[in-house]
Amino acid sequence: EAGVAQSPRYKIIEKRQSVAFWCNPISGHATLYWYQQILGQGPKLLIQFQNNGVVDDSQLPKDRFSAERLKGVDSTLKIQPAKLEDSAVYLCASSLERIPGANVLTFGAGSRLTVL
Amino acid sequence: RKEVEQDPGPFNVPEGATVAFNCTYSNSASQSFFWYRQDCRKEPKLLMSVYSSGNEDGRFTAQLNRASQYISLLIRDSKLSDSATYLCVVLARGGADGLTFGKGTHLIIQP
């Protein structure tokens, strides 16, 4: 089965610029997550979708971050304007069920963002 | 107190040795527990779930202590390929939130 696809793999921008990341989950996986992983830290949940609805976005910095999953499949995460502290790997993950404990979370390879 | 706490290491261990590390969690209502493995510059991958009765998968043994709120991972007969960061992952009761990851423990197996 194809894995979770993410693009771009790497992105370098200057602060105050904008960037968008794209994720295509495993076919049939209803739940999609975006995690932020800063160097030396564990992944931190930014937003969780169930189909095209948001389940949890409590840790998403909504003044600059936005995410959508319009048709319940692909998702886009946008940062505008970017800050230096946004430098991180943005990991997309998907699971078959809403409750992650019921199924394995499969991660994509990540999008590494460097903000200069 | 952090939600999920791990000793970041690194743990430098000779090949063939046994190594164990713990992870503590603060939310007593947590219901599911996992160990994920993350290789350098790669994405996390599920290593094993942690069940109340403890579970074993080959050289790996995971245990849960609800009273003391910690989980452990034991690796026997360690291999060079076991070198990685091991992430402790906890799911709160209800599952409305995503999984909460620890910072990870960095393990280096030396020849």
Side-chain angles (χ1 to χ4, degrees), chain A residues 17-75:
Chain A
Q17 287 187 322
S18 63
V19 63
F21 304 113
W22 172 83
C23 172
N24 186 278
I26 291 174
S27 178
H29 278 198
T31 308
L32 184 147
Y33 311 80
W34 283 102
Y35 281 85
Q36 178 194 58
Q37 187 171 26
I38 293 171
L39 187 64
Q41 313 239 341
K44 182 185 88 169
L45 178 69
L46 292 176
I47 189 167
Q48 176 184 347
F49 291 96
Q50 175 74 7
N51 296 309
N52 61 348
V54 175
V55 173
D56 179 16
D57 63 356
S58 58
Q59 298 191 87
L60 186 74
K62 298 181 185 64
D63 58 334
R64 297 183 302 104
F65 286 65
S66 64
E68 59 184 15
R69 193 184 184 199
L70 292 175
K71 297 182 179 179
V73 181
D74 294 10
S75 177

Side-chain angles (χ1 to χ4, degrees), chain B:
Chain B
R1 183 180 174 184
K2 295 178 183 175
E3 288 186 62
V4 179
E5 209 153 354
Q6 296 182 251
D7 181 343
F11 283 52
N12 288 283
V13 174
E15 189 176 10
T18 295
V19 60
F21 26 85
N22 291 342
C23 159
T24 58
Y25 59 93
S26 60
N27 186 349
S28 59
S30 299
Q31 64 174 8
S32 300
F33 309 88
F34 310 87
W35 285 103
Y36 274 69
R37 171 193 169 128
Q38 186 170 26
D39 292 300
C40 187
R41 301 180 78 87
K42 298 284 189 180
E43 71 273 22
K45 293 183 179 178
L46 179 69
L47 177 66
M48 57 198 307
S49 302
V50 187
Y51 304 124
S52 297
S53 56
N55 51 305
E56 189 174 311
D57 183 4
R59 298 181 294 107
F60 296 81
T61 300
Q63 293 198 312
L64 167 64
N65 185 317
R66 285 192 183 274
S68 300
Q69 295 183 204
Y70 75 84
I71 67 173
S72 64
L73 179 67
L74 178 81
I75 306 174
R76 289 182 298 277
D77 186 25
S78 54
K79 313 289 185 192
L80 295 176
S81 57
D82 294 333
S83 297
T85 296
Y86 291 83
L87 298 163
C88 173
V89 188
V90 174
L91 175 68
R93 189 181 304 278
D97 299 332
L99 299 171
T100 300
F101 286 75
K103 290 187 176 183
T105 295
H106 189 38
L107 175 64
I108 301 171
I109 306 299
Q110 297 174 327

